[in-house]
Amino acid sequence: MGRVHQWAALRRSVSGRFVVWAALLAFALLATANEARADCQPTAADNVTVNCTANNGPQTTPVGTGNEDNVTVNVQNGATVDVSANSGTSAISLNNGNTVTNAGTIVVDGSSATGILVNNNNLIINNGTIIATGGAFGIDALNGNTVINNGTIRVGEFGAGISVCCDNTVVNNGSIIGGDNTAGINAGDHTSITNNGTIKVGSGGSYGIVADGVGNNATILNNGTIIAGDGSYGIGAAGGYNVVNAGTISVGAGSIGIQVDGGANITNSGLIRTDVGSIGVMFNAFGYDNTPNKLINNGSIIATTAPGFAILGLDNNTVINNGYMQGTVLLLGSGNTFTNNGYLIGGDPAAYASTGPSGVAVGGMLINGPAGTFAVRVDPTSNDSFFAEAVQLNGRLKMVVTPGLYNATTTYSQVISVCGCGGGSLTGTFSSVVSSSPFFTATADYSIPDEVDVTLNRIGFGSVPGMTPNQRAVGNVLEPGYSTNLTGKAATFYSNLLAATSLSALDNLSGEGISAAQNAAFVTGSQFNNAMQTQGLFAPDLGGLSIVIPPPQYAATRVAAGHDAFASFDKAPAMTLQPGRIRIWTAAFGANQSLHGEADTGSSNQSVRSAGGMLGVDWQLARDLRVGFAAGGSESMFSASSLATSGRMTGGHVGAFAIKTWGTYYAAATLSYAHFDNSTTRTITGIGPTETASGSFGSDQLAARFELGWKQTYGRVNVTPFIAVEPAVLWQRGFTETGANVLGLSVASHTATSLPTFIGVQIDGRLVTPAGLVFAPYSRVSWVHEFEPDRRVTAGFITLPGTNFTVDGARAASDSGRLDAGGKLYLPGGHALFANFAGEWSDRTQTYSATGGFRAAW
């Protein structure tokens, strides 16, 4: 309170300072008459324009004596007025009706110095930087002024960024930064203040904005950010100011967000956040009078750490909460009215264990409207309380369960009560009574006059209505181990779980997202096998599979002028088969897959991204037989974002393939082995403090593809019906997560299988270029049926031995459609470029993949 009067005293002495400073400045001018002042020209005088430039270095003497009227001063960009060497000297000092625009830098020092000092009816615009140290002010003005800061004002201890007296307009669009014991903006009577920028002040009684005097209809409007240190104030106003916060006010320990008295009106549609031992909004603090104040909260007022107050005040105040309010509410005396149409919780749930019960106490009337929620914190033995002279109930009562080991049934007395003094009473009932935890039901008892008691009944961890099978699997193994006599990490585990606010906590515990490693392995293995098969199929020298290539001794087919480059479909002479021919090829591949979770199991969405490369060699062993081998590596990323689970999989692959033809029939086979090194990370939230669990394990995969087809030629295109199957087996090793405190898992080894089958048709042909190159495009359409879509994880909690469970991850699609499109460009000498793009779609999955590379033959 004393700090406000100190600022008032400083402000009211401004007129006296002008007289003293004028004398000091006159002496300084006589003493420095021979000093150069070339960069601020001409010398300040009535009705002149002074321009300060950077032409001759910084201006080191003041501009003006404090007596000049109707002067225009422009400190240009790059110019500096620095009088800090002469402590206590103001940089620009004028009287009335002046316009000062700073786009450069102004520097002052000393407790009686000001960057820009004026009297009445002036316009001051700062687009540059003002630095005031040693208790100096950035801008100081008396009455009827307009002060706009678009730049930066920095002030040291006991300084003020902008200080004005009465009937002024102050707008901050930039930054005001102050040290300890400072004020960002300090104002007197009838001054309107708007902050659209940032005001940051230090500790020790600092104010972001302080207005001490008669406000009448004047407004303090914060659309920006105000930050105040420990023991300081965001906004302080006395004498009937209207205070509107549409931005953010954040204050440190032992501080106050907004402090008012004398009939102030506060509207908060933004955020007011306080630290330990602080107050969000405080009424009747200055002691001027007990004129009623009013607060309408449409935003959030949060006392983050107890002990702390959302609201603290004396008599005759009105509070209407339409938003969110967290922290103790204490309206002392009488004549207060608190109406809750939003969410009101009487303390910080995270601090209940260390601070104990708190709540709401109103000297007057406490009302919960139809849309309001009274949130009451409880632990196994105690509860917050809501207390008033008179209470009207409606809306919802929410019992906020904090961590602890609860009995099957717990009854809390006087959750809501009235004092019975002054004829007060409790009327009405709640329209609903609920628990914040899914593991409890809550029931209100109104049988005792003037109080409401509440009973919590615990529900088994696997018995909550509406659970998914995955959640029930986890809950069922947890229930037998629960007891109120638990100690150590087991007690911590169950205490935090009982305080969880959603059944999704069981999903977060389950480790279900780790199953994404299985889908990643099958996607990568399938791409490796398909890349090998592509090299065996559609070869030009296997007796009519896809395309006939002109032998090197034939010249290119000539195309008539005006025809397109790929215009010839003429058949070329058949190539003589060359048993023993060797080809070497290299390919790169990549895939992106998304899988939607399923409601019937409770699984979550997953995504897989993979990329790899491979090198292969194959031989033409006979006119109708080709075999080959390949080796490669891959890198995959997988995630289940809703479970905050992600992982990386690095693989090494080796494989072999063969293709055999019988006229127009063919059979193709591939077989591959892969070893994967897997790493996983789970961020576990919603069950006490956030924990991060990491896992590392190896896995091995054996995969194959078998395909049969029958090529039919129709004019210039080939149509090939085919069937195929891709069996794969993945053996994952078990592992134990590290990094988590109490929520980590021991994951069992697991064997996963995949058995997709394909029925489809291929259409292909050839296009011959004028240069004799042949492009062979093809497309495939197939129906895919997966006989083994399940992806499961079996695990147990490290903290709770014997709690093994199995949950389903996102399954592969049982039925989907697949489209492949690609081609080969055959180069002279039997070399080729090739590429393939594929998409696979179902009602729950989407997979896109691509393969491309180069092949050389000799």
Side-chain angles (χ1 to χ4, degrees), residues 624-654:
D624 54 3
L625 177 63
R626 180 178 291 276
V627 297
F629 301 91
S634 64
E635 190 80 10
S636 300
M637 306 292 292
F638 53 86
S639 67
S641 58
S642 65
L643 301 177
T645 300
S646 61
R648 180 186 295 271
M649 184 180 71
T650 302
H653 306 257
V654 294

Tab-separated table of all heavy atoms in Angstrom, residues 624-654:
chain	number	residue	atom	x	y	z
A	624	ASP	N	14.165	-70.464	-69.149
A	624	ASP	CA	12.924	-70.215	-68.405
A	624	ASP	C	13.132	-70.129	-66.895
A	624	ASP	O	12.198	-70.323	-66.122
A	624	ASP	CB	11.920	-71.325	-68.704
A	624	ASP	CG	12.495	-72.705	-68.429
A	624	ASP	OD1	13.654	-72.770	-67.961
A	624	ASP	OD2	11.782	-73.705	-68.660
A	625	LEU	N	14.352	-69.817	-66.452
A	625	LEU	CA	14.622	-69.782	-65.011
A	625	LEU	C	15.644	-68.695	-64.696
A	625	LEU	O	16.701	-68.634	-65.321
A	625	LEU	CB	15.146	-71.132	-64.519
A	625	LEU	CG	15.539	-71.205	-63.040
A	625	LEU	CD1	14.314	-70.963	-62.153
A	625	LEU	CD2	16.167	-72.567	-62.733
A	626	ARG	N	15.273	-67.846	-63.747
A	626	ARG	CA	16.200	-66.829	-63.240
A	626	ARG	C	16.195	-66.877	-61.714
A	626	ARG	O	15.137	-67.025	-61.087
A	626	ARG	CB	15.804	-65.432	-63.699
A	626	ARG	CG	16.748	-64.326	-63.179
A	626	ARG	CD	16.348	-62.960	-63.685
A	626	ARG	NE	16.573	-62.835	-65.123
A	626	ARG	CZ	17.746	-62.520	-65.667
A	626	ARG	NH1	18.806	-62.328	-64.888
A	626	ARG	NH2	17.865	-62.423	-66.963
A	627	VAL	N	17.372	-66.760	-61.080
A	627	VAL	CA	17.490	-66.714	-59.627
A	627	VAL	C	18.344	-65.517	-59.258
A	627	VAL	O	19.141	-65.014	-60.060
A	627	VAL	CB	18.130	-68.008	-59.070
A	627	VAL	CG1	17.269	-69.214	-59.362
A	627	VAL	CG2	19.540	-68.191	-59.605
A	628	GLY	N	18.170	-65.046	-58.016
A	628	GLY	CA	18.945	-63.892	-57.575
A	628	GLY	C	19.022	-63.798	-56.066
A	628	GLY	O	18.326	-64.513	-55.320
A	629	PHE	N	19.900	-62.888	-55.625
A	629	PHE	CA	20.108	-62.635	-54.201
A	629	PHE	C	20.173	-61.128	-53.981
A	629	PHE	O	20.530	-60.361	-54.893
A	629	PHE	CB	21.408	-63.291	-53.719
A	629	PHE	CG	21.450	-64.776	-53.919
A	629	PHE	CD1	21.978	-65.322	-55.084
A	629	PHE	CD2	20.936	-65.634	-52.953
A	629	PHE	CE1	22.016	-66.690	-55.285
A	629	PHE	CE2	20.967	-66.999	-53.146
A	629	PHE	CZ	21.502	-67.539	-54.315
A	630	ALA	N	19.850	-60.687	-52.763
A	630	ALA	CA	19.883	-59.251	-52.439
A	630	ALA	C	20.207	-59.072	-50.968
A	630	ALA	O	19.951	-59.958	-50.132
A	630	ALA	CB	18.549	-58.592	-52.773
A	631	ALA	N	20.765	-57.923	-50.658
A	631	ALA	CA	21.040	-57.531	-49.271
A	631	ALA	C	20.779	-56.041	-49.157
A	631	ALA	O	20.931	-55.285	-50.130
A	631	ALA	CB	22.477	-57.869	-48.879
A	632	GLY	N	20.371	-55.612	-47.985
A	632	GLY	CA	20.081	-54.190	-47.816
A	632	GLY	C	19.886	-53.801	-46.367
A	632	GLY	O	20.034	-54.623	-45.444
A	633	GLY	N	19.547	-52.549	-46.166
A	633	GLY	CA	19.300	-52.022	-44.821
A	633	GLY	C	18.109	-51.098	-44.840
A	633	GLY	O	17.702	-50.581	-45.891
A	634	SER	N	17.517	-50.875	-43.682
A	634	SER	CA	16.335	-50.018	-43.587
A	634	SER	C	16.329	-49.274	-42.268
A	634	SER	O	16.974	-49.680	-41.289
A	634	SER	CB	15.051	-50.851	-43.719
A	634	SER	OG	14.938	-51.768	-42.640
A	635	GLU	N	15.588	-48.188	-42.261
A	635	GLU	CA	15.374	-47.384	-41.050
A	635	GLU	C	13.897	-47.032	-41.000
A	635	GLU	O	13.331	-46.524	-41.980
A	635	GLU	CB	16.216	-46.116	-41.096
A	635	GLU	CG	16.247	-45.345	-39.792
A	635	GLU	CD	17.218	-45.909	-38.772
A	635	GLU	OE1	18.024	-46.789	-39.143
A	635	GLU	OE2	17.167	-45.488	-37.611
A	636	SER	N	13.265	-47.299	-39.867
A	636	SER	CA	11.828	-47.040	-39.731
A	636	SER	C	11.556	-46.235	-38.473
A	636	SER	O	12.232	-46.398	-37.452
A	636	SER	CB	11.035	-48.351	-39.671
A	636	SER	OG	11.229	-49.119	-40.840
A	637	MET	N	10.563	-45.377	-38.564
A	637	MET	CA	10.061	-44.633	-37.410
A	637	MET	C	8.597	-45.008	-37.214
A	637	MET	O	7.832	-45.067	-38.188
A	637	MET	CB	10.172	-43.129	-37.639
A	637	MET	CG	11.567	-42.652	-38.022
A	637	MET	SD	12.754	-42.807	-36.673
A	637	MET	CE	12.119	-41.569	-35.540
A	638	PHE	N	8.199	-45.277	-35.988
A	638	PHE	CA	6.807	-45.633	-35.729
A	638	PHE	C	6.319	-44.887	-34.502
A	638	PHE	O	7.110	-44.478	-33.638
A	638	PHE	CB	6.635	-47.140	-35.541
A	638	PHE	CG	7.545	-47.756	-34.502
A	638	PHE	CD1	7.202	-47.785	-33.155
A	638	PHE	CD2	8.765	-48.320	-34.884
A	638	PHE	CE1	8.027	-48.356	-32.212
A	638	PHE	CE2	9.602	-48.895	-33.942
A	638	PHE	CZ	9.240	-48.913	-32.602
A	639	SER	N	5.017	-44.679	-34.432
A	639	SER	CA	4.477	-43.924	-33.303
A	639	SER	C	3.002	-44.238	-33.096
A	639	SER	O	2.295	-44.644	-34.026
A	639	SER	CB	4.646	-42.419	-33.526
A	639	SER	OG	3.837	-41.974	-34.595
A	640	ALA	N	2.576	-44.042	-31.853
A	640	ALA	CA	1.168	-44.004	-31.484
A	640	ALA	C	1.006	-42.694	-30.726
A	640	ALA	O	1.248	-42.619	-29.517
A	640	ALA	CB	0.785	-45.203	-30.618
A	641	SER	N	0.649	-41.641	-31.438
A	641	SER	CA	0.735	-40.288	-30.877
A	641	SER	C	-0.179	-40.080	-29.684
A	641	SER	O	0.189	-39.379	-28.733
A	641	SER	CB	0.427	-39.252	-31.965
A	641	SER	OG	-0.856	-39.475	-32.522
A	642	SER	N	-1.377	-40.664	-29.686
A	642	SER	CA	-2.285	-40.465	-28.563
A	642	SER	C	-1.765	-41.104	-27.285
A	642	SER	O	-2.199	-40.743	-26.186
A	642	SER	CB	-3.671	-41.012	-28.892
A	642	SER	OG	-3.630	-42.419	-29.061
A	643	LEU	N	-0.848	-42.042	-27.414
A	643	LEU	CA	-0.228	-42.685	-26.253
A	643	LEU	C	1.175	-42.157	-26.004
A	643	LEU	O	1.891	-42.700	-25.160
A	643	LEU	CB	-0.167	-44.203	-26.475
A	643	LEU	CG	-1.508	-44.900	-26.692
A	643	LEU	CD1	-1.298	-46.385	-26.977
A	643	LEU	CD2	-2.411	-44.718	-25.481
A	644	ALA	N	1.559	-41.095	-26.721
A	644	ALA	CA	2.892	-40.491	-26.572
A	644	ALA	C	3.985	-41.554	-26.648
A	644	ALA	O	4.938	-41.549	-25.874
A	644	ALA	CB	2.981	-39.716	-25.255
A	645	THR	N	3.815	-42.464	-27.600
A	645	THR	CA	4.763	-43.562	-27.797
A	645	THR	C	5.389	-43.436	-29.181
A	645	THR	O	4.684	-43.223	-30.166
A	645	THR	CB	4.054	-44.920	-27.684
A	645	THR	OG1	3.476	-45.037	-26.378
A	645	THR	CG2	5.037	-46.062	-27.897
A	646	SER	N	6.692	-43.571	-29.240
A	646	SER	CA	7.381	-43.518	-30.518
A	646	SER	C	8.568	-44.464	-30.478
A	646	SER	O	8.988	-44.925	-29.407
A	646	SER	CB	7.861	-42.095	-30.832
A	646	SER	OG	8.778	-41.651	-29.846
A	647	GLY	N	9.101	-44.763	-31.653
A	647	GLY	CA	10.230	-45.679	-31.693
A	647	GLY	C	10.969	-45.613	-33.010
A	647	GLY	O	10.515	-45.013	-33.991
A	648	ARG	N	12.120	-46.259	-33.009
A	648	ARG	CA	12.968	-46.337	-34.190
A	648	ARG	C	13.375	-47.790	-34.378
A	648	ARG	O	13.668	-48.496	-33.400
A	648	ARG	CB	14.193	-45.454	-34.019
A	648	ARG	CG	15.153	-45.469	-35.212
A	648	ARG	CD	16.423	-44.684	-34.895
A	648	ARG	NE	16.127	-43.293	-34.694
A	648	ARG	CZ	16.113	-42.376	-35.659
A	648	ARG	NH1	16.376	-42.742	-36.913
A	648	ARG	NH2	15.842	-41.120	-35.394
A	649	MET	N	13.439	-48.234	-35.629
A	649	MET	CA	13.801	-49.611	-35.934
A	649	MET	C	14.832	-49.606	-37.065
A	649	MET	O	14.574	-49.086	-38.153
A	649	MET	CB	12.568	-50.399	-36.354
A	649	MET	CG	12.798	-51.882	-36.601
A	649	MET	SD	11.258	-52.706	-37.087
A	649	MET	CE	11.026	-52.029	-38.732
A	650	THR	N	15.994	-50.168	-36.797
A	650	THR	CA	17.054	-50.265	-37.793
A	650	THR	C	17.202	-51.721	-38.198
A	650	THR	O	17.371	-52.595	-37.338
A	650	THR	CB	18.383	-49.735	-37.231
A	650	THR	OG1	18.209	-48.375	-36.818
A	650	THR	CG2	19.477	-49.804	-38.283
A	651	GLY	N	17.107	-51.995	-39.508
A	651	GLY	CA	17.088	-53.378	-39.972
A	651	GLY	C	18.173	-53.694	-40.975
A	651	GLY	O	18.616	-52.839	-41.745
A	652	GLY	N	18.622	-54.945	-40.952
A	652	GLY	CA	19.494	-55.503	-41.968
A	652	GLY	C	18.786	-56.660	-42.640
A	652	GLY	O	18.190	-57.519	-41.959
A	653	HIS	N	18.818	-56.714	-43.975
A	653	HIS	CA	18.016	-57.677	-44.734
A	653	HIS	C	18.905	-58.472	-45.691
A	653	HIS	O	19.806	-57.917	-46.326
A	653	HIS	CB	16.952	-56.958	-45.569
A	653	HIS	CG	16.074	-56.032	-44.797
A	653	HIS	ND1	14.792	-56.354	-44.431
A	653	HIS	CD2	16.289	-54.781	-44.316
A	653	HIS	CE1	14.252	-55.341	-43.773
A	653	HIS	NE2	15.146	-54.366	-43.695
A	654	VAL	N	18.618	-59.750	-45.833
A	654	VAL	CA	19.199	-60.582	-46.890
A	654	VAL	C	18.075	-61.428	-47.464
A	654	VAL	O	17.118	-61.785	-46.756
A	654	VAL	CB	20.341	-61.483	-46.373
A	654	VAL	CG1	21.531	-60.652	-45.936
A	654	VAL	CG2	19.853	-62.384	-45.237
